[in-house]
Structure formats: structure tokens, C-alpha cells
Amino acid sequence: MPDKLDAVPAALHLVCAKGANRISYLGASRISEAFAKDAAPTVGAICVVVQADYEYDYDDDIDVATGDAIVALAIVNGIGGVASGTVRATLTPVHRLPEAVPVSSLQGEPVELGDLPADYHSRKLDPEIAETLLNHLAGMDPSVSKWLAQVFGELRTFPTSVEQSRVEAKDAVKLAAQLAEIELPADAFVSPPAETENETLLQTLLNAGYEVDLEEELLPLDLQRFDGKLTGKQRAASVTEFTDKWDRTKLIVMSVNKKPIELELGVDLLYWDQIHDSFTFIQYKRLEKVPSPKPSSGSEWAYLRKGEIEKQLELMPSGKDSSATAADWRAFGTPFWFKFVRGDAGSKLDGKTLKGMHIPADWLRPAMKDETFMSGPRGGFRVTYDNAKYLGRTAFTQLISRGFVGTAGARSKAFKKVLRSKDRELIIAVRTEWQKDTTPAGTARAPRASNGLD
């Protein structure tokens, strides 16, 4: 058993959390709980999270027993108003206990826990009971003491570039663990103290913070997000399905990085809007912070590698699709887009896709040939927020969800064959065909069959 805690680092509140099952069954690192205004825990407090009707599967041959159980500890990160007399508290970070502790076992020795609070209420534990309970939990789970020390200790600070790499690495590790159904340690992503010894391998990797300008590091961030409203569900290592509140299949986001589609079409992600039967293709580019040529500006975010853009534009078909029906009409002639993202975008996550410039390939082509991007020192090449025509993430996501961008008709049908076969030769054939007008002006096309979602 580890040494006893020197002191309880913060007030301890007992909470019967509605979101406790998300911690138990989904490994949630953050939950949001509603409380009566006068019975909410305070910011910075430690919550002892109780799950009602927790299932104890003692033996496969007998029925599952249920009961109230302590499943986690969590910190009150913030409290905001929701309605009159009600507030909502954000509980994060969360430390999930390796084994749930039955509340019934804490109604005498070693801890007299007392009655559980009512729904939407928390109960602050007396200091003596709080210390006894935490020491009891630490005896059952030695990582409790370490987690508390990390959460309440002095945090290690990192340079901006290193912190950016840490955020991206965390997102990628979370995604990989989710897909592999591997349970990460509850304290895996808690910032370590200012001084620490014997770091775990995971901590060492995250703290190293190497600077590598790879756009692929940004893909897991946008793969799991769209507009903050649709609900995302991971279907495979590189596929996420987003649905609306009516639970209709609406949007599928796929990473084709390092696959034949990327090699032949020059894209990283594709969006398939199933309602409008439309594919939109995205190539990511990462902006870097460079000195500004303007005397009073200091620095600016720019993309300097002209050859990379030219190479990917060469792969992207430039033919325009003529619409014969209203359903096939698109506001842009190309389904191919570039997304330019600042190098620190990972430090400003808010549940939506990363902020950045969405630029259609058809605009980039003439801009690359004229003087549009020759704004660097001595007329050097650079793409910046000042010299590019672009859409922000909100406008771009609305255009996708409302069917204003992407493939239509024959092009969508052709690309479905590519997805089914993943035949590299077929991709090349589709790219070649797309260089032509797929529907001559004035030629009628059969109406698209309804998929039941329109």
C-alpha cells in the first residue's frame, strides 16, 4: 500500500453523475453535469463520481448484479449557467478507477460515507471523511496518489512549438486507442509536474515535442470533427460517420493519406455527403510563422513550398462537370480543395474542424501562374491570409452539408467504383475522364434515384 496522502489537495464532493456510464463504458475523459445552483460543487473541487445501477458481472453463469458504485475521480474544471436555478459543471480531467468500488462497502469500516446525494446535487464531505476515503481509494488504486499530484502540482511548461506537437500527438494516440479498443491509463494525458522522474514511455514521447512539418499530423483532428452539431461515430481507423439529430446518415469523412487515392489524386481527406451524393476532396497544408515583409507587421503565417502545391494540382482533375438537373448543380466547378492550417491550430480546439483557409483548386491554378502569391521578401512565393481568396471553416462546412460543393452525377457514380475496388488503374482512368466534360451541354441526364434521405 502506498504512503498516505499528506493532505487532501481540494474539497471533496460526492456526486451521483448521469454521465458516469460514459466514463465506465466509453472511457470519457470529460463529462458535463447539471446541478441545482445551490448544490453544485465548486470549481477546482474533486468529485467522487458515483454511477447508479453499476453492473457487476461476477460470473458468466449467474445473473449480473447491480448497485451504486464509485467509478472515478474528476476535477471541476468550470461551471456555467444553463437555466434559472440550474448550472452545468464540466468535470475534467477524469481518473477512472480500475475497479468500481461498491458504495455499500463504504457504510462502516473503513469509511462511513453516509447517504448519497439526490440527483442534481453534490455533497461536500467532511475533511476527515474525505481524507479517509481518498486514502482508501489510493490503497486500492496506487495511481490515485500520482494522479492527484499531477493534477494539483506545478505544471510543466513547454515552448509553443512543442505544445503544438503534444496536442497533435495526444489526439492521434486517443484515436488509435479508441479504434484498437485499448484502455489508456487514466492519467495518460495529464500534464506532468515541473520535475518528474522515471517518465512512462508515453509521457516521454509526448514531451519530446519534435518539430516536423507534416500535414498528416492534422488529419486525426479534422477526421473526428465537422461543425460541432453533427454527431460523429468512428467506423474504422480512417473513417468517421456524422449524423444529424434525426439519426440519418449524412456525412462520411475518410482519410486516404498514404493510399492509392492520395497518390493519384493528391488529396488527404474526402467528405461524402450521402444526402446529396457528393464527394469533396481536401489536401492539407500547414502554415508556418515567418517574418513579414511589411515593416510594421512583425510576423505572419505563410506557406512557402510552391513546388508541393504545383505537384498536387497536377494530380487533381481540372475538367468541369455540366449539370443537367437541379440536384447536380454545384456552386464551384471543382470538388478539389486545399486547406491551409496554422501550425498552432491544435492548441485552439473547440469541437469543430480546425480553423484555416479553404481554397478551391480551380482558383489556385491561375493564382499560381500570376503574381498573386509573390508577396515574400524580394518577391518570393508565399500563400497567406492577406493574398488568398478563401472560405472559413463555418462557410465551408455549410457548403458541404447543403450540397453546394463536391462531385455530382456521373462523377459521384464513378468515384463509388473507386471506393469499392481501390484499383489504382481505375483511379487513373477516373482522373483522366474527369479532365473532360462529363455531360455535354443540353444533354439530359436521368434523374438521380432517391436514397430515402432527401
Side-chain angles (χ1 to χ4, degrees):
M1 180 179 295
D3 295 335
K4 289 187 176 181
L5 299 172
D6 293 334
V8 177
L12 202 66
H13 288 252
L14 195 61
V15 173
C16 294
K18 300 293 185 182
N21 59 334
R22 295 185 60 242
I23 298 174
S24 298
Y25 307 131
L26 300 178
S29 61
R30 171 192 299 262
I31 61 173
S32 179
E33 290 290 318
F35 291 95
K37 186 176 181 180
D38 297 331
T42 55
V43 174
I46 306 169
C47 286
V48 179
V49 180
V50 175
Q51 179 177 335
D53 299 324
Y54 181 85
E55 294 185 352
Y56 298 93
D57 191 0
Y58 295 109
D59 192 310
D60 291 337
D61 296 327
I62 63 173
D63 293 335
V64 175
T66 62
D68 298 329
I70 297 174
V71 296
L73 299 175
I75 307 301
V76 183
N77 184 265
I79 294 180
V82 174
S84 178
T86 306
V87 296
R88 183 168 290 277
T90 301
L91 306 185
T92 187
V94 172
H95 176 85
R96 178 183 172 186
L97 298 176
E99 292 186 13
V101 180
V103 171
S104 59
S105 68
L106 302 175
Q107 301 298 359
E109 291 294 335
V111 184
E112 183 60 54
L113 195 59
D115 295 333
L116 293 177
D119 288 347
Y120 309 109
H121 286 66
S122 73
R123 177 165 66 85
K124 184 178 179 180
L125 299 179
D126 292 336
E128 184 176 341
I129 294 177
E131 182 177 356
T132 303
L133 176 60
L134 278 185
N135 277 300
H136 178 67
L137 296 178
M140 301 178 67
D141 174 15
S143 63
V144 165
S145 300
K146 179 182 176 183
W147 181 75
L148 289 172
Q150 289 177 329
V151 171
F152 291 99
E154 182 182 353
L155 299 182
R156 181 182 298 181
T157 58
F158 302 93
T160 302
S161 59
V162 173
E163 187 60 35
Q164 168 74 7
S165 295
R166 282 171 50 81
V167 170
E168 294 173 1
K170 288 178 185 179
D171 207 82
V173 170
K174 287 179 182 178
L175 176 60
Q178 177 185 355
L179 300 175
E181 297 183 351
I182 296 174
E183 183 178 343
L184 291 172
D187 60 351
F189 299 118
V190 176
S191 295
E195 295 181 3
T196 184
E197 296 179 356
N198 300 323
E199 287 183 334
T200 66
L201 176 60
L202 180 60
Q203 288 174 324
T204 301
L205 290 173
L206 294 179
N207 295 342
Y210 49 88
E211 291 187 54
V212 181
D213 194 18
L214 296 177
E215 281 74 31
E216 63 193 55
E217 295 175 1
L218 300 171
L219 298 186
L221 296 170
D222 270 4
L223 185 64
Q224 298 181 85
R225 298 170 171 83
F226 182 59
D227 62 359
K229 298 177 183 178
L230 299 181
T231 302
K233 177 184 178 183
Q234 207 72 35
R235 292 180 49 169
S238 58
V239 180
T240 301
E241 177 182 280
F242 291 92
T243 57
D244 56 19
K245 63 182 179 181
W246 295 283
D247 200 29
R248 304 180 306 177
T249 301
K250 183 180 182 69
L251 186 73
I252 291 179
V253 184
M254 302 176 63
S255 170
V256 294
N257 192 253
K258 307 304 183 189
K259 297 181 177 67
I261 292 175
E262 185 224 6
L263 299 176
E264 297 299 339
L265 296 180
V267 296
D268 294 315
L269 285 187
L270 68 87
Y271 291 81
W272 179 23
D273 176 1
Q274 290 190 303
I275 290 180
H276 299 97
D277 196 20
S278 179
F279 293 93
T280 302
F281 307 90
I282 310 293
Q283 166 62 227
Y284 278 72
K285 292 299 174 194
R286 195 170 180 183
L287 302 171
E288 56 186 295
K289 200 170 187 179
V290 297
S292 172
K294 301 176 183 178
S296 59
S297 297
S299 62
E300 64 181 352
W301 291 94
Y303 190 83
L304 309 179
R305 292 178 291 284
K306 182 179 181 181
E308 286 297 307
I309 297 178
E310 291 176 332
K311 180 174 68 175
Q312 268 126 15
L313 280 174
E314 185 66 25
L315 294 173
M316 297 176 181
S318 57
K320 298 190 182 297
D321 193 0
S322 302
S323 60
T325 67
D328 288 337
W329 182 86
R330 300 290 181 259
F332 294 84
T334 179
F336 292 92
W337 291 71
F338 284 74
K339 181 168 183 177
F340 292 85
V341 179
R342 282 175 40 159
D344 65 349
S347 64
K348 305 178 183 352
L349 302 180
D350 58 3
K352 299 181 181 180
T353 57
L354 298 174
K355 293 181 180 180
M357 299 188 289
H358 299 81
I359 302 178
D362 279 0
W363 181 82
L364 264 181
R365 286 190 172 93
M368 294 289 289
K369 295 177 181 178
D370 58 28
E371 302 297 313
T372 300
F373 298 135
M374 300 306 175
S375 61
R378 298 181 297 279
F381 175 87
R382 60 174 55 183
V383 180
T384 70
Y385 280 88
D386 290 335
N387 62 21
K389 285 186 177 181
Y390 65 90
L391 295 174
R393 60 177 178 174
T394 300
F396 187 67
T397 55
Q398 288 180 342
L399 288 174
I400 288 179
S401 64
R402 297 177 184 179
F404 278 87
V405 300
T407 60
R411 287 188 174 182
S412 293
K413 185 176 180 180
F415 195 75
K416 288 178 185 176
K417 294 180 181 178
V418 171
L419 289 180
R420 292 190 186 100
S421 69
K422 296 179 180 159
D423 184 340
R424 191 163 182 171
E425 294 302 318
L426 180 58
I427 300 174
I428 296 173
V430 167
R431 185 181 67 194
T432 303
E433 183 63 27
W434 282 4
Q435 293 291 143
K436 310 170 185 177
D437 287 339
T438 58
T439 305
T443 300
R445 178 188 294 152
R448 177 169 60 88
S450 171
N451 57 11
L453 298 177
D454 295 318

